[in-house]
């Protein structure tokens, strides 16, 4: 098969430092179910992605990361994979994937795919074989099967809890009809955990990596990267001390014991998980097109999280501390400081991210009375965010995020300023988190709503009728989207924003353009003298250029951008001495009497 490979962008032209593409890449997360539906069945698909690549090229992103599109019963929206080498018919075919990869490369966009190594679907051939084969079989050794506790094995092997609620073990019925062993699932019952002590499992994933690398993908987002290794003997967990990142505090809620440095949770962030990534790194490095891996590792503190990007391991790790810092100058300052410090210690670039398919969209979080709160979901009974306030802050937050050196992630719809669906009725909810908590947790559906492309079309243009023998025809129209869209999406549809001065889309496009022109992604960061978190002011400079042209030897002037955001309620003084300025809002609104308005941000090119 021929694969189109992108070359590293020419550095010489702007004397850009010679760095691999991912160091400063802007990576756009495509959630395939909800991006674009090309066959009219109400669920997004790969041909839908291909059909919208021109939009992404216009936006100016360097790469896309696609959440899973593999064969799956979809009990966790595709994070339950039944065949890692097949495309789910809901999303298309392997040929559609090849075409999408080739077309993205033609458009200058790299492609990162999702890899789900912690668990398979219970419909995966291996798990079905494990059920059939019975205890002590090599088939069961690929997963975590164990005898139960209690006189008749009627109690789970330990007290581990599922992330989605309830216990993490389910008992199987053996072939003879008797209740038998238990299997581990850190998520839904339909997601049995693989046993990463098993060499067959390791070899299978090396082969899966090669399968997609041979098809030309440029990287992998690694799901639950901190969960693969479980402590031998399955000791009970102290759930009262189990931690996830909860705020920007370096030492808040750590996942390891600060005295012994032992992980607190026997199934998270175990030291030996790093062996797996050193092994995978060798596979990736055997390819010549600079493929990368990015860890989804909800690990605290940052010193622990950055272990995933030590030399010879992964290339990037999502900075969830930054995501959770909220709209608060002190928390953001802390997150940024600690991130640079810890990234520097391992020689890895930073990543910056505000939202993804597991979190309430930041345009809504920032519109809550406490704009730094982090709800697990929002329902009609909860406080409703102020959409206008949230969007105003989200615009300013984009200027901070995209001004920071390193790599930045955009979740689909961020560039349209989309809010969370905060009144989704229970009958529409599909997230297993909702069901496993008996509806106590709303779950993540509210951030996964199909995108609005055209304000005046059915499903706001999300679905287009299939041309020929698809499930719908032009005459029949299109099916309802798999999750209903809120009415507020209409005014935010892409066709109301692309090319429209002052829209969120045009702001993002402009930011990405300037970021590229000035090489901010590889620039040098410093807090500015105007930085004043106690008064709600974030201000930093990013300097790029300098030195001499690699080809001609001519000097290249250094260029400095001052990024300033006002997170306070009052206007703040705006520095002078710049030649160009870009604001998060119309200038008349952003600048009042020469001062930067509340919840506004600026990029000032200082000459
Ligand atoms: C993290 C993914 O982002 C999330 O959507 C999924 O439910 C869990 N991992 C389990 O795969």
């Amino acid at each position: 098969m021929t694969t189109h490979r992108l070359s590293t962008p020419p550095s010489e032209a702007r004397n850009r430092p010679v760095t691999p593409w991912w160091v400063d890449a802007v990576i756009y997360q495509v959630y395939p179910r909800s991006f674009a539906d090309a066959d009219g069945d109400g669920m997004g698909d790969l041909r839908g992605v291909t059909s919208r690549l021109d939009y992404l090229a216009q936006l100016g992103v360097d790469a896309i990361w696609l959440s899973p599109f593999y064969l799956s019963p979809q009990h966790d929206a595709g994070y339950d994979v039944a065949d890692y080498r097949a495309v789910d018919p809901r999303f298309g075919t392997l040929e559609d994937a090849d075409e999408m990869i080739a077309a993205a490369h033609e458009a200058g966009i790299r492609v990162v795919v999702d890899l789900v190594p912690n668990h398979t679907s219970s419909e995966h051939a291996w798990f079905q074989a494990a059920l059939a084969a019975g205890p002590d079989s090599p088939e069961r050794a690929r997963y975590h099967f164990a005898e139960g506790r209690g006189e008749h094995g009627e109690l789970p092997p330990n007290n581990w809890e599922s992330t989605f609620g309830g216990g993490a073990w389910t008992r199987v019925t053996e072939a003879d009809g008797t209740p038998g062993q238990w299997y581990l699932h850190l998520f839904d019952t339909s997601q049995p955990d693989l046993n990463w002590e098993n060499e067959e499992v390791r070899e299978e994933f090396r082969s899966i990596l090669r399968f997609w690398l041979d098809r030309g993908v440029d990287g992998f987002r690694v799901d639950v990267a901190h969960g693969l290794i479980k402590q031998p003997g399955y000791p009970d967990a102290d759930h009262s001390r189990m931690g996830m990142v909860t705020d920007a505090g370096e030492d808040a809620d750590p996942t390891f014991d600060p005295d012994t440095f032992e992980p607190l949770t026997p199934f998270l962030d175990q030291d030996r998980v790093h062996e797996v990534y050193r092994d995978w790194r060798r596979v990736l490095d055997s390819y010549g097109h600079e493929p990368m891996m990015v860890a989804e590792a909800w690990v605290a503190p940052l010193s622990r999280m950055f272990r995933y990007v030590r030399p010879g391991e992964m290339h990037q790790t999502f900075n969830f501390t930054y995501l959770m810092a909220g709209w608060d100058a002190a928390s953001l300052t802390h997150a940024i400081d600690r991130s640079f410090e810890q990234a520097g210690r391992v020689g890895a670039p930073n990543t910056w991210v505000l939202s993804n398919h597991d979190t309430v969209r930041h345009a809504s979080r920032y519109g809550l009375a406490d704009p730094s709160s982090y709800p697990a979901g929002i329902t009609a009974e909860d406080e409703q965010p102020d959409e206008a306030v949230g969007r105003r802050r989200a615009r300013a937050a984009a200027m901070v995020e995209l001004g920071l050196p390193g790599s930045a992630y955009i979740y689909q719809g961020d560039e349209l300023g989309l809010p969370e669906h905060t009144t989704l009725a229970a009958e529409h909810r599909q997230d297993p988190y909702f069901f496993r908590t008996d509806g106590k947790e709303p779950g993540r559906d509210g951030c996964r709503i199909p995108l609005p492309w055209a304000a005046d079309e059915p499903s706001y243009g999300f679905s287009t009728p299939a041309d020929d023998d698809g499930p719908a025809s032009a005459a029949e129209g299109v099916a309802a989207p798999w999750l209903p869209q809120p009415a507020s999406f209409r005014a935010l549809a892409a066709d109301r924003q692309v090319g429209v001065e002052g829209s969120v889309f045009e702001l993002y496009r402009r930011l990405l353009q300037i970021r590229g022109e000035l090489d901010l992604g590889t620039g040098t960061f410093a807090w500015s003298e105007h930085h004043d978190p106690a008064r709600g002011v974030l201000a930093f400079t990013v300097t790029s250029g300098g030195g001499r042209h690699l080809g001609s030897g001519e000097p290249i002037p250094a260029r400095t951008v001052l990024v300033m955001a006002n997170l306070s309620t009052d206007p703040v003084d705006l520095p002078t001495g710049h030649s160009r300025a870009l604001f998060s809002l119309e200038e008349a609104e952003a600048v009042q009497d020469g001062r930067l308005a509340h919840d506004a941000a600026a990029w000032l090119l200082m000459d």
Side-chain angles (χ1 to χ4, degrees):
M1 177 182 15
T2 50
T3 53
H4 179 91
R5 295 208 167 122
L6 298 186
S7 56
T8 301
S11 313
E12 295 84 354
R14 300 190 307 266
N15 211 26
R16 180 185 188 281
V18 180
T19 47
W21 69 273
W22 42 266
V23 167
D24 62 342
V26 176
I27 303 179
Y28 181 99
Q29 182 188 355
V30 170
Y31 194 64
R33 298 177 142 239
S34 298
F35 185 68
D37 168 24
D39 67 7
D41 67 353
M43 186 169 287
D45 44 45
L46 294 178
R47 288 199 296 116
V49 178
T50 307
S51 74
R52 298 291 184 180
L53 286 168
D54 54 346
Y55 168 88
L56 297 172
Q58 264 181 301
L59 180 59
V61 299
D62 300 302
I64 50 176
W65 144 42
L66 296 106
S67 285
F69 49 78
Y70 317 110
L71 187 71
S72 160
Q74 304 288 323
H75 292 309
D76 184 21
Y79 282 95
D80 47 325
V81 181
D83 183 345
Y84 292 84
R85 298 179 183 82
V87 172
D88 194 282
R90 296 169 184 84
F91 299 126
T93 61
L94 211 43
E95 287 68 42
D96 292 338
D98 289 340
E99 275 173 30
M100 186 262 304
I101 295 166
H105 286 171
E106 282 304 328
I109 296 173
R110 288 183 164 87
V111 179
V112 173
V113 294
D114 221 304
L115 189 72
V116 189
N118 181 66
H119 44 265
T120 68
S121 158
S122 51
E123 291 187 14
H124 190 286
W126 273 8
F127 192 71
Q128 290 301 312
L131 289 181
D136 302 323
S137 60
E139 288 83 356
R140 286 209 176 170
R142 295 169 179 149
Y143 293 90
H144 294 278
F145 277 86
E147 301 299 329
R149 293 195 287 203
E151 201 180 332
H152 306 288
E154 70 280 13
L155 299 172
N158 66 23
N159 71 345
W160 295 0
E161 290 169 8
S162 153
T163 305
F164 290 159
W169 296 89
T170 289
R171 195 171 195 187
V172 301
T173 303
E174 304 296 359
D176 62 4
T178 58
Q181 290 189 305
W182 297 71
Y183 69 89
L184 176 68
H185 51 87
L186 294 184
F187 294 90
D188 188 44
T189 52
S190 62
Q191 294 166 293
D193 280 50
L194 283 165
N195 175 11
W196 276 86
E197 306 295 346
N198 184 305
E199 178 50 34
E200 221 185 327
V201 170
R202 294 192 182 215
E203 184 49 35
E204 173 67 355
F205 273 83
R206 284 180 209 117
S207 158
I208 293 166
L209 288 173
R210 287 192 209 99
F211 178 85
W212 288 102
L213 288 166
D214 288 343
R215 305 196 97 83
V217 305
D218 302 283
F220 300 91
R221 176 266 189 190
V222 180
D223 190 60
V224 203
H226 54 317
L228 273 47
I229 298 288
K230 280 80 182 174
Q231 260 177 41
Y234 309 124
D236 275 347
D238 181 353
H239 284 282
S240 67
R241 299 184 70 203
M242 255 180 72
M244 295 281 267
V245 187
T246 51
D247 70 17
E250 160 74 353
D251 300 316
D253 216 358
T255 47
F256 76 103
D257 188 312
D259 300 324
T260 63
F261 277 78
E262 287 299 316
L264 286 173
T265 313
F267 49 84
L268 293 180
D269 198 30
Q270 304 293 303
D271 283 349
R272 290 192 40 244
V273 80
H274 295 278
E275 279 168 20
V276 176
Y277 305 127
R278 285 194 280 270
D279 181 32
W280 290 4
R281 181 65 183 252
R282 287 190 284 275
V283 175
L284 266 69
D285 284 352
S286 69
Y287 286 76
H289 62 292
E290 299 182 321
M292 61 82 105
M293 292 180 278
V294 51
E296 188 226 13
W298 288 87
V299 168
L302 283 170
S303 54
R304 199 78 190 172
M305 192 189 83
F306 274 100
R307 286 157 46 102
Y308 289 78
V309 286
R310 289 176 294 191
E313 297 197 25
M314 299 224 199
H315 304 74
Q316 294 186 345
T317 179
F318 288 109
N319 192 335
F320 296 122
T321 299
Y322 182 75
L323 183 152
M324 298 180 83
W327 191 239
D328 177 84
S331 297
L332 283 164
T333 300
H334 191 78
I336 292 168
D337 265 340
R338 300 296 283 181
S339 300
F340 277 118
E341 179 189 299
Q342 295 300 326
R345 285 179 58 175
V346 293
N350 268 299
T351 64
W352 310 106
V353 59
L354 295 171
S355 284
N356 66 30
H357 67 291
D358 292 329
T359 62
V360 169
R361 283 183 176 277
H362 61 277
S364 294
R365 281 187 272 125
Y366 296 165
L368 291 169
D370 173 3
S372 298
S373 58
Y374 184 76
I378 299 177
T379 71
E381 285 75 49
D382 299 321
E383 175 201 344
Q384 293 298 297
D386 183 321
E387 283 200 9
V389 170
R391 195 148 41 248
R392 178 181 173 116
R393 291 175 174 159
R395 294 175 73 114
M399 297 195 78
V400 176
E401 184 201 5
L402 297 171
L404 286 164
S407 174
Y409 280 81
I410 297 173
Y411 177 45
Q412 66 177 37
D414 286 356
E415 80 287 6
L416 299 174
L418 291 190
E420 183 86 358
H421 192 329
T422 56
T423 56
L424 192 65
E427 76 213 55
H428 295 301
R429 296 215 174 252
Q430 304 209 12
D431 186 352
Y433 193 25
F434 174 74
F435 295 104
R436 287 185 61 87
T437 56
D438 292 326
K440 286 191 196 73
E441 297 293 348
R444 302 159 295 178
D445 295 306
C447 65
R448 300 174 173 181
I449 305 295
L451 289 191
W453 291 96
D456 296 325
E457 286 177 26
S459 68
Y460 304 135
F462 168 65
S463 297
T464 43
D467 344 303
D468 36 49
D469 54 355
S473 72
E476 289 163 355
V478 293
W482 72 278
L483 285 175
Q485 300 153 300
S488 63
F489 271 30
R490 179 160 187 267
L492 299 170
D495 70 345
R496 292 279 174 96
Q497 299 205 41
V498 176
V500 175
E501 192 65 35
S503 67
V504 183
F505 181 90
E506 289 303 324
L507 174 68
Y508 265 83
R509 171 150 63 169
R510 193 87 189 98
L511 293 174
L512 294 192
Q513 191 191 345
I514 298 173
R515 181 186 153 92
E517 275 170 20
L518 300 182
D519 289 326
L520 296 184
T522 52
T524 305
F525 171 92
W527 290 116
S528 136
E529 57 185 310
H530 305 284
H531 183 60
D532 192 352
R535 292 184 51 227
V537 179
L538 279 183
F540 57 85
T541 56
V542 182
T543 302
S544 62
R548 291 184 177 271
H549 194 287
L550 290 179
S552 66
E554 290 296 311
I556 305 252
R559 321 205 58 186
T560 296
V561 172
L562 173 63
V563 177
M564 187 166 186
N566 179 4
L567 289 77
S568 77
T569 46
D570 303 314
V572 296
D573 288 340
L574 197 57
T576 51
H578 51 272
S579 60
R580 270 160 72 197
L582 180 72
F583 298 99
S584 58
L585 303 164
E586 294 295 324
E587 188 164 347
E589 210 181 332
V591 186
Q592 286 154 13
D593 300 328
R595 308 185 85 205
L596 185 64
H598 71 92
D599 297 314
W603 279 13
L604 308 175
L605 181 57
M606 310 306 282
D607 284 332

